[in-house]
Structures are given as structure tokens and as C-alpha cells.
């Protein structure tokens, strides 16, 4: 058993570790709230974009909501374990953080490896949406209009993709491709030569995929940062548990 003087010497260390771990856990808990908010926002605001991706990709907002919920619950448990100074709770907290650390790494690696498949899926679904485009504003048609209007693009590779669709033979290129809605008549949209001056000429696929590629390094950096952040909590939890166990210190 450690001597009283030894225990008095280690008390400030344990108190310091406890304070740092509580601060860490609070930040970790806040990150869970952020994940929840992003997941809900993505489900509400980006559903139209997810409709043109693979069916599995549409689950991304739900994954974020689930991950955010887990992080909030785990952060709450971490605060409780730290305040109690329970060694088994701290060890369990460290184990759960390790599990999340592995999940984040695996998710980042899988996303990076399969990014080209996601792009291929988006291209084929976008081509199919153009082929089946109609004015009844179904989910895919609405997605096409939203992407073209938001990204200032037209078609898959370029605006001429619309010339091979049934919709073009009836009404020309959709108004969502127009640069200026007030100067874009249906007569102009039915004539490819006139339409070229009235609509966006760049295709949407290139803009979307180039954006994905440019953001890939950012996503990788964020994933690495999150993983490192988990390691901090793991180390702090293990250290605090070790000090409490070795010095037989009971915290109130």
C-alpha cells in the first residue's frame, strides 16, 4: 500500500488529470451534438442529392445521427465516470473510445477506397434521371433541377446531353439550365444553337466529382483529427485509472 505522503503527492496529479479529462469529455459531447445537427440537416436539406446516389449512400444522414447519439451518450458516461473516479468505468470509457477510434479509421478508409464507385453510381443515376425526366417533378427530376440550378450546370457531361432525351423533343432543355430565367423562352430551349447562348454549357457530373475530389483531402484530414482526438481521451482515461488504482485513491 502506498504511504500517506505518496498519496498526497499524487493527489494533485489525479485532480489535474480529472480536470483535463472532464474538459475533453465536454468537447467530445459537443462534437456529438454537432454530428446530430449535421445528420438532421443533411436528411432535410440534402435528400434531393442523395436520391441520385447509390441506395446505401442515402443512409449517410442516419449514420451521422446514430453516431452523434452514441457520442452524446458516451460523453455523458465519460463525465459520470470521471466525476466518480471509478476505475472500471474509466477503463470501459477508454475501451469504447478505442472502438470509436477504429470505426472512424475504417469508415475513412472505406470512403476513400470506394470513392470512384460512388462517382460511377452518381453518373449512371444522373444519366437515368435525364432519360426519365418529366415535368411532374418526381424525386429524381427535382434532384436534377436542383443540381443544375444550384451548381450552374446542365446535363451530365454538357448541355447537349439533353438533346438525346424524350423531354427535349417535347419541350427542349429544362428551364433549370437557364442562366437567366427571364430571358429563356421555350422556343430558345428547343433550338440547340440558341440554347447554347441561354443555358449553362458545363455538365453537372464534372462539377460534382471535382468538388468531391477537392474535398477528399479535407475529409481525410478531419477524419485523422477525430481519430487523434479519440487517442487523447483513451490516454487520459487510462492514466487516470492507473493513478487511482496504483495509489488506492478514492475520489468523492
Amino acid at each position: 500500500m502506498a504511504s500517506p505522503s505518496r498519496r498526497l503527492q499524487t493527489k494533485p496529479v489525479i485532480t489535474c488529470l480529472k480536470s483535463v479529462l472532464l474538459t475533453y469529455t465536454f468537447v467530445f459531447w459537443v462534437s456529438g451534438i454537432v454530428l446530430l445537427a449535421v445528420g438532421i440537416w443533411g436528411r432535410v436539406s440534402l435528400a434531393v442529392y442523395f436520391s441520385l446516389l447509390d441506395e446505401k449512400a442515402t443512409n449517410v444522414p442516419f449514420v451521422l445521427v446514430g453516431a452523434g447519439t452514441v457520442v452524446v451518450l458516451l460523453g455523458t458516461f465519460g463525465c459520470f465516470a470521471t466525476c466518480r473516479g471509478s476505475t472500471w468505468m474509466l477503463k470501459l470509457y477508454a475501451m469504447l473510445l478505442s472502438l470509436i477510434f477504429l470505426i472512424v479509421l475504417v469508415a475513412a478508409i472505406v470512403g476513400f477506397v470506394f470513392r470512384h464507385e460512388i462517382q460511377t453510381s452518381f453518373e449512371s443515376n444522373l444519366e437515368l434521371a435525364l432519360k426519365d425526366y418529366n415535368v411532374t417533378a418526381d424525386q429524381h427530376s427535382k434532384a436534377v433541377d436542383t443540381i443544375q440550378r444550384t451548381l450552374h450546370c446542365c446535363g451530365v457531361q454538357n448541355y447537349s446531353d439533353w438533346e438525346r432525351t424524350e423531354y427535349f423533343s417535347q419541350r427542349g432543355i429544362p428551364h433549370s439550365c437557364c442562366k437567366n430565367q427571364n430571358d429563356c423562352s421555350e422556343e430558345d430551349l428547343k433550338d440547340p444553337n440558341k440554347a447554347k447562348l441561354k443555358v449553362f454549357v458545363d455538365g453537372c457530373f464534372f462539377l460534382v466529382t471535382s468538388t468531391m475530389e477537392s474535398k477528399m483531402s479535407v475529409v481525410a484530414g478531419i477524419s485523422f483529427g477525430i481519430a487523434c482526438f479519440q487517442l487523447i481521451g483513451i490516454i487520459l482515461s487510462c492514466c487516470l485509472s492507473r493513478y487511482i488504482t496504483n495509489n488506492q485513491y478514492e475520489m468523492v
Side-chain angles (χ1 to χ4, degrees), residues 54-93:
D54 185 80
E55 185 177 353
K56 294 180 180 179
T58 61
N59 295 323
V60 171
F62 298 107
V63 172
L64 290 176
V65 170
T69 303
V70 171
V71 168
V72 169
L73 293 176
L74 183 56
T76 304
F77 176 78
C79 287
F80 182 73
T82 304
C83 293
R84 285 290 303 274
S86 172
T87 56
W88 74 267
M89 285 185 177
L90 289 169
K91 290 177 181 178
L92 178 59
Y93 183 46

Side-chain angles (χ1 to χ4, degrees), residues 1-7 245-250:
M1 179 180 295
S3 64
S5 60
R6 172 70 178 278
R7 291 163 63 182
T245 301
N246 290 346
N247 296 279
Q248 299 180 352
Y249 182 82
E250 296 183 358

Side-chain angles (χ1 to χ4, degrees), residues 2-35:
S3 64
S5 60
R6 172 70 178 278
R7 291 163 63 182
L8 288 174
Q9 291 173 0
T10 57
K11 183 175 180 179
V13 177
I14 295 175
T15 303
C16 180
L17 284 173
K18 179 180 176 181
S19 300
V20 174
L21 184 57
L22 280 174
T23 303
Y24 163 86
T25 303
F26 174 75
V27 175
F28 183 64
W29 185 85
V30 171
S31 69
I33 298 295
V34 172
L35 281 176

Side-chain angles (χ1 to χ4, degrees), residues 28 31 34 48 69 84 119-120 135 141 158 182 189 194 209 227 240 244 246 249 251:
F28 183 64
S31 69
V34 172
V48 65
T69 303
R84 285 290 303 274
Q119 293 176 3
T120 302
V135 293
S141 298
N158 54 61
N182 297 323
L189 294 175
K194 292 181 180 180
T209 54
L240 182 56
I244 292 175
N246 290 346
Y249 182 82
M251 303 186 72

Side-chain angles (χ1 to χ4, degrees), residues 163-183:
E163 297 176 25
R164 298 185 292 272
T165 65
E166 182 179 350
Y167 180 84
F168 180 83
S169 62
Q170 299 174 357
R171 305 189 61 176
I173 298 175
H175 278 270
S176 57
C177 284
C178 294
K179 297 177 182 178
N180 185 350
Q181 296 293 328
N182 297 323
D183 183 26

